[in-house]
Every structure is written in structure tokens, then in C-alpha cells.
Amino acid sequence: MPKIENTTGMPINLIIDELKSDDIRKRIHSVKHLDLIASTIGPDRTKNELIPFIQELLDDDDEVLIELVDSLSRNFVELVGGQVQVLLPTFEVLCRVEDASVREKAANQIKKCLTQIPEQKKVEELAMGIIKRLNDSDYYMAKNAVAILIPAIFNQVSQNNQNDLINITLKMSQDQIPQVRKFASMHFQDLVKHFPLVNEAFIQNILNSFIKDEQDFIRMYIVDSLIQTSKTPFFQKQQNFILNMFKQLAEDQSWRVRYYLCDKLGEIGEAVSKDGYRKNFQMYHLKFLQDTEPEMKSIAALKIERVSSLMDPEDILNKLIPLLKSIQSDTNAFVRNALASSVLALCPIIGKKNTSEQILPIFLTLLKDQDSEVRITLFKKLSLITNVLGVDSLSQSVIPALTELAQDKNWRIRASTIEVLSFFARAIGPEFLSDKVLKLLLDWMGDKVFSVRQTAIQQTAQLISILGLPWADKNLLTKIWAFQSIQNYLHRLTVLFTINHITSQLNNDYVLRTIVPILQSMAKDSVANIRSNVCRTSIQLAKEKGGNVVDPMKKILQTLSDDQDAEVKYQAKSSLESL
């Protein structure tokens, strides 16, 4: 049994006492460390004392129960000496609580415990007992665990018990409470995997029951069951039945059901083969792209990348792309954003000529989109079109869009735009980084938002790694070092933050020639915060670069050790002592 180290800083007796505390925060803290308690007291006392005491906590607040099920899910089987049966009653009670995450975790732990019991008859006896008690419970939420457990043990029980489990599932699928029917619908996909133990008539009865349900959240989960069924021999026997079910869901009046099916089109295609997808499902994807609900058009556009590999290239050109041209200017920004995230995936499939003629016009339209999120999304997928058409032909179209995004009011957009620079630097080389583009980077360096400045500094490091220090020093770094003379102290801090971030990329000669004079000058700055950061930068350079860099850094720190500001003085002295 593993010995768990006490890292809480508290005596174990106090942690045990907190289990009984009236303060919920203390109970949560104690429950988080149940494994520590169990490790300390040993398996026998854990089984005979701790587990019974835990069972008294099972009517506690949800916050405590969430931590409790997490603690018991870690390595408690070892902590009770491998006797998993000891834990089952606790998990069974947790399957009846209100919090859904606790119920599901408890049910999954029961599944895990059952796999560690070697005697098959014992597994069957314990599992059937738990399922029947939960199914007969007055609290209907307990049936959530029933729906999870039945598929897990179905092929491990006798024929009679299998029949009982089938009857329980049938009754759940027709229960008066919609939530119970939802549990059955959600987990039926795990049960159909056991075909032919689960017979054809039963599968058809259940699916027919679900598809007629008035609740759309019950109907939509049939999609998962149908996908699983399509992977079994049942599909060969009842192909028309399955395809008809899919058709009903694709034409369902509820957009949520259609949305769920559209989201699973890639998985459906894998289950029924490319030919099966083209004959039976491609038309629905094209139809969804023309749906009146913007949510439907969005998910259909998002799925272009996934389903395009299932389509014939001729169908992409003649059926899909004409629809994309109609939604590139859709009034809903979410639809256009979804299109921007996936349309470029078609480029490698349809080739250079068709990409230039069909996809490039869509790309250029989206590049000028009024919504900056759409343009950012497009930039993140840029390599898909540049790999086919080459970067040079696109760079002149990209720079104006990049300039506009660099000035966006939303700082997150500005930060995301910065990341595009390294892509172009890597793909084209330094010729892309004209004075106009580098000015954008310097503007970001002086942005009023810290995250934007930090992203710009990270991008500078990327450019050094791609294009080398000589290029960076000549074209970029000298301009950044000039920030030390700007009145706004945040700009001056950017100089130090940049040095910190690129230290590993600087050679000692560069540090001595360029960085030391900068630090010597900034050590006299009027702002204490700047001088304090000079200490941090100096100690970092001394430790990372070593050699002939150490002495100049020591001299800077010695100067600052007499600083008028107490914090700067203390930091400089501490840094000197550490060298």
C-alpha cells in the first residue's frame, strides 16, 4: 500500500477532526485528504472505522460530496487492502444524490470496482443487486446510474438477468419522467454494442420509442446509438431501418436534433463508409448549409473540414462551393466565422487551379469581413491555402488586413494578430517583414494592454529564432532598445521584459556590447519599479550567461545596493549574495 506524504502542514489528527466540523470549508479540506488519512491509519481501520464514518457524510452539501467522490476515486481500492466490496455501498448511495457529476462518477467507480473482483458469480450478484436497488429507488435520479451500469455488466450476467436488464431499459425508455427517458437515451449507445446479445427486436423497439418521444433532447441522443449500431452486424441486417431513422432525425422539426446530427456527420461517415455517406447523408449536409436557422448554417459550415474528405472532388466543386459563396456574406457573423474556420481545408483536395478560381475569391471576401473575429479565424488557417497557392501571391492581400486588425479596439484581437507574423516570417522570410509590418510590431510593444505587449515580446523571440540575431538586431531590437528614452515608464519596462524573454538567444558578446550599457543607463532611472526590474534582469543574465557577463552584472547590482529605495536596495543585495 502506498504511503502518502502529508504536505498539508497540519497534524493528521486535526485533519480527521475536520471531518466533523460545522464549517463546510474545513469538511471539504478534510475530505480532499481522505487518502492521506487512510494511508496513515492503515487498511483495517480504514475499512472498519473510516468508511463507516464516511457513510455518515453522505447527506452533506453537494460541494462536500463532489470532493468525496473525487477522493474515493483516486487510489482507495489499494487503501482498503484491495477489498473493493467495502467501497460499493458508499458509491451506491452517491448514485442517488442530486448532483449529476457525483452520480456519474460514482456509477463509473462501481464499474471500475466490479472489474477488480475475480469471481464472475460475485460480480453478477453484486451488480444485479445494485442495479435493482437503484432502479426501485423512490428518487428517480438514481436511474442515471442504472443506465450507466447496465451496458457495463450486460455480457457478464446470465440470460435471465440479461432479460431483466432489457426489461428495465424498456421501462426507462417509456418512463413518465422525461429525465429518466433521457438517461436511457444517452446510454443506449453503450448497450447496442452488445448485439447480438441484445436482440434485433429489442433495439428496434427502443429506437422506435425514442424517435417518437415529444422531447427533442431525448430524440437527439438516438444519433449516437445509430452510429454505434451502424458499426455492428445489425446494420447489415437492418440497414433500411437504420437509414430511415437517420432520415427522420435529419428532417426533425427541432433544429437542436438536426444540429446534433450535423455535428456527428463525420462519425456517421466513418461508420457507414464513404459511399454510404455520399448516397445517404451528403444531401443533408448541403441542405443544412441552406437552413433558416443560423445555428444550423454555422455547424454545417464548421463540419466542412471534417466531411470534405468523404466527398467526391467533383461534388465539392459543383455542389458545395456554390453554397459557400452564398454564405460568405451571411448576415450572421457566427456563420461567416464558421466558414472561415473550415473553407480553406478544401484547398488540398481540389488542387491549385480550382483553389485559385473557387476558394481564393471566398478567402479575399472573408479577409475584408467587417467582423475582426472572422479575419482572425481565417488567419489561423492560412497555411492551408498558402501550401497550395504559395505565400508570395497572398502577402499583398494580407498586409492591409493585418494592419487593420493591429488597430482593432478589442485587445484580444490585437494579441491574436501578432501571432501571424512568425507564420509569414517562417513561410516567406525577412522580405515579408517590411518597415510597415515591423512598425505594427513596435506599436504592439507599446500597447496600453499588458497581454498585447507580452505577446509582442514573445513574437520577437520567435522572429529571432526564425531569422537569427543579426537580422533582429539590425531591423528590430535597436528600435526596441530606443524605448528606454520614452517618457512612459511602461515602455521602458518593455525593454527589460524583452531582454528577460530573449536572454537564451543572446550571445555573451552581444550582452557586453549592447545590453550592459542599456542596464547601466536604466539603473539610474527615476522610477523605482524600473530599477527593481534592472536587478531582476541583471541576476538572470549573470546566472544564465555566466563567464565574462557576471562581473558587469555584479557592478550594476553593487550600484543599486546603495539605492535610495529600500526595496531596490534589498533586492540588489539579495541578488549579489546569490551570485
Side-chain angles (χ1 to χ4, degrees):
M1 184 186 73
K3 188 70 176 176
I4 297 171
E5 183 183 355
N6 184 356
T7 58
T8 65
M10 295 171 57
I12 193 69
N13 290 340
L14 185 56
I15 299 174
I16 295 172
D17 288 342
E18 283 187 343
L19 284 170
K20 312 166 192 174
S21 175
D22 292 332
D23 187 335
I24 188 172
R25 292 170 300 177
K26 290 182 178 180
R27 295 201 303 279
I28 288 173
H29 178 264
S30 182
V31 165
K32 281 182 177 179
H33 295 94
L34 281 176
D35 55 349
L36 173 60
I37 296 172
S39 171
T40 304
I41 65 177
D44 290 337
R45 289 188 64 195
T46 298
K47 286 180 292 184
N48 300 325
E49 299 175 34
L50 183 58
I51 296 298
F53 184 79
I54 287 172
Q55 289 170 345
E56 295 177 17
L57 294 173
L58 298 179
D59 60 350
D60 210 323
D61 294 293
D62 284 346
E63 296 96 319
V64 177
L65 297 180
I66 289 168
E67 294 298 341
L68 176 60
V69 75
D70 282 341
S71 287
L72 294 176
S73 301
R74 285 198 280 269
N75 55 349
F76 245 79
V77 172
E78 292 180 66
L79 295 170
V80 294
Q83 297 185 35
V84 294
Q85 297 96 316
V86 175
L87 299 173
L88 289 174
T90 303
F91 286 128
E92 184 178 337
V93 175
L94 289 170
C95 287
R96 295 188 179 95
V97 303
E98 189 172 344
D99 189 278
S101 65
V102 174
R103 294 197 306 269
E104 289 174 9
K105 285 179 182 177
N108 285 319
Q109 283 306 306
I110 291 174
K111 286 165 53 177
K112 186 177 178 180
C113 288
L114 292 173
T115 63
Q116 297 182 52
I117 299 174
E119 302 88 0
Q120 189 64 36
K121 286 186 178 180
K122 191 67 176 175
V123 171
E124 183 170 1
E125 177 190 338
L126 289 168
M128 290 304 298
I130 291 169
I131 288 171
K132 287 180 178 179
R133 285 191 297 274
L134 290 172
N135 187 56
D136 294 338
S137 172
D138 293 334
Y139 187 47
Y140 72 88
M141 287 292 189
K143 289 183 170 61
N144 186 3
V146 174
I148 294 172
L149 291 172
I150 286 177
I153 57 100
F154 190 85
N155 63 346
Q156 300 176 54
V157 300
S158 66
Q159 180 68 55
N160 287 337
N161 282 329
Q162 286 180 356
N163 291 336
D164 288 344
L165 296 177
I166 284 173
N167 288 331
I168 290 171
T169 305
L170 273 170
K171 286 179 181 177
M172 285 179 64
S173 70
Q174 296 161 4
D175 198 281
Q176 291 183 339
I177 301 173
Q179 196 71 22
V180 174
R181 302 199 301 276
K182 179 185 175 182
F183 297 148
S185 179
M186 284 177 68
H187 298 286
F188 189 61
Q189 60 173 310
D190 298 319
L191 192 54
V192 297
K193 294 175 184 176
H194 293 299
F195 177 85
L197 288 177
V198 180
N199 60 63
E200 286 181 41
F202 168 65
I203 292 175
Q204 288 178 302
N205 286 341
I206 290 279
L207 291 174
N208 280 323
S209 178
F210 286 147
I211 207 158
K212 293 172 186 173
D213 201 289
E214 60 185 13
Q215 301 290 339
D216 59 4
F217 62 79
I218 292 170
R219 297 197 300 278
M220 73 181 188
Y221 287 117
I222 310 173
V223 174
D224 297 311
S225 298
L226 292 174
I227 291 171
Q228 288 300 329
T229 307
S230 301
K231 298 175 182 177
T232 71
F234 181 90
F235 184 66
Q236 278 69 46
K237 294 188 174 185
Q238 295 289 344
Q239 185 171 338
N240 290 336
F241 172 80
I242 295 296
L243 292 176
N244 183 55
M245 281 274 172
F246 273 127
K247 180 182 178 183
Q248 290 183 64
L249 294 169
E251 297 172 357
D252 198 281
Q253 289 184 340
S254 168
W255 71 265
R256 290 180 182 84
V257 175
R258 301 196 305 275
Y259 182 101
Y260 197 79
L261 183 134
C262 185
D263 191 36
K264 302 281 183 174
L265 279 175
E267 294 175 46
I268 293 171
E270 290 174 3
V272 302
S273 77
K274 282 187 179 181
D275 286 340
Y277 175 83
R278 291 171 186 174
K279 289 177 185 175
N280 302 291
F281 297 97
Q282 181 175 295
M283 57 185 160
Y284 290 117
H285 180 238
L286 299 175
K287 187 178 178 182
F288 294 150
L289 285 166
Q290 305 167 73
D291 201 280
T292 54
E293 295 286 349
E295 290 85 357
M296 283 305 307
K297 282 192 281 189
S298 293
I299 189 63
L302 274 174
K303 290 291 130 180
I304 291 168
E305 183 169 3
R306 181 76 190 272
V307 304
S308 58
S309 60
L310 301 168
M311 297 180 69
D312 184 85
E314 287 299 314
D315 285 341
I316 291 175
L317 290 169
N318 300 324
K319 296 178 181 179
L320 177 60
I321 290 178
L323 294 178
L324 304 187
K325 289 177 179 177
S326 69
I327 66 171
Q328 67 182 349
S329 304
D330 194 275
T331 54
N332 189 293
F334 290 107
V335 175
R336 302 195 306 276
N337 195 41
L339 179 63
S341 74
S342 60
V343 65
L344 300 186
L346 300 176
C347 298
I349 299 173
I350 62 175
K352 186 172 183 177
K353 181 175 181 293
N354 289 321
T355 294
S356 181
E357 293 174 359
Q358 305 293 335
I359 301 299
L360 184 57
I362 298 175
F363 169 81
L364 294 174
T365 299
L366 293 172
L367 199 60
K368 299 171 187 172
D369 196 279
Q370 61 184 10
D371 191 301
S372 50
E373 292 282 359
V374 174
R375 285 172 276 155
I376 282 293
T377 300
L378 196 66
F379 272 130
K380 289 178 179 177
K381 298 286 185 175
L382 210 50
S383 61
L384 291 170
I385 191 169
T386 56
N387 288 344
V388 175
L389 294 183
V391 185
D392 294 342
S393 60
L394 295 175
S395 60
Q396 293 310 309
S397 303
V398 166
I399 290 174
L402 199 62
T403 305
E404 195 172 333
L405 286 169
Q407 299 162 354
D408 196 275
K409 292 179 181 178
N410 187 330
W411 69 265
R412 290 182 177 84
I413 297 296
R414 299 198 300 276
S416 297
T417 308
I418 300 170
E419 297 168 6
V420 178
L421 292 186
S422 60
F423 167 77
F424 279 105
R426 190 175 284 109
I428 299 180
E431 53 267 31
F432 173 77
L433 298 169
S434 62
D435 290 342
K436 186 184 291 186
V437 175
L438 288 176
K439 184 182 182 303
L440 295 178
L441 182 57
L442 292 170
D443 288 343
W444 286 318
M445 285 274 192
D447 197 275
K448 60 185 179 182
V449 177
F450 174 77
S451 293
V452 176
R453 299 196 300 272
Q454 191 66 16
T455 306
I457 290 170
Q458 292 166 0
Q459 199 62 210
T460 300
Q462 287 273 355
L463 293 178
I464 294 173
S465 66
I466 295 167
L467 302 174
L469 182 59
W471 177 91
D473 184 44
K474 178 183 176 183
N475 296 281
L476 183 58
L477 293 180
T478 51
K479 296 170 184 175
I480 296 174
W481 304 151
F483 279 26
Q484 64 180 299
S485 304
I486 297 177
Q487 187 173 3
N488 187 330
Y489 87 98
L490 293 176
H491 289 71
R492 303 201 297 278
L493 273 178
T494 298
V495 173
L496 297 171
F497 292 161
T498 302
I499 294 170
N500 294 343
H501 202 80
I502 66 172
T503 295
S504 62
Q505 297 169 290
L506 305 177
N507 56 55
N508 285 21
D509 288 343
Y510 187 86
V511 173
L512 294 172
R513 184 178 70 253
T514 305
I515 304 300
V516 169
I518 291 172
L519 295 180
Q520 288 171 338
S521 173
M522 297 188 77
K524 302 170 187 174
D525 197 281
S526 60
V527 177
N529 191 10
I530 299 287
R531 302 196 302 276
S532 177
N533 275 280
V534 169
C535 291
R536 295 190 185 98
T537 302
S538 298
I539 190 67
Q540 179 178 323
L541 283 165
K543 288 184 174 180
E544 283 196 33
K545 309 314 293 185
N548 56 357
V549 170
V550 176
D551 284 342
M553 295 303 113
K554 278 185 176 179
K555 289 178 181 177
I556 293 170
L557 290 169
Q558 284 165 354
T559 303
L560 290 169
S561 65
D562 294 324
D563 197 273
Q564 60 187 1
D565 185 272
E567 186 178 337
V568 175
K569 183 187 293 187
Y570 172 78
Q571 194 168 2
K573 287 182 176 179
S574 299
S575 298
L576 279 169
E577 289 172 4
S578 69
L579 286 176

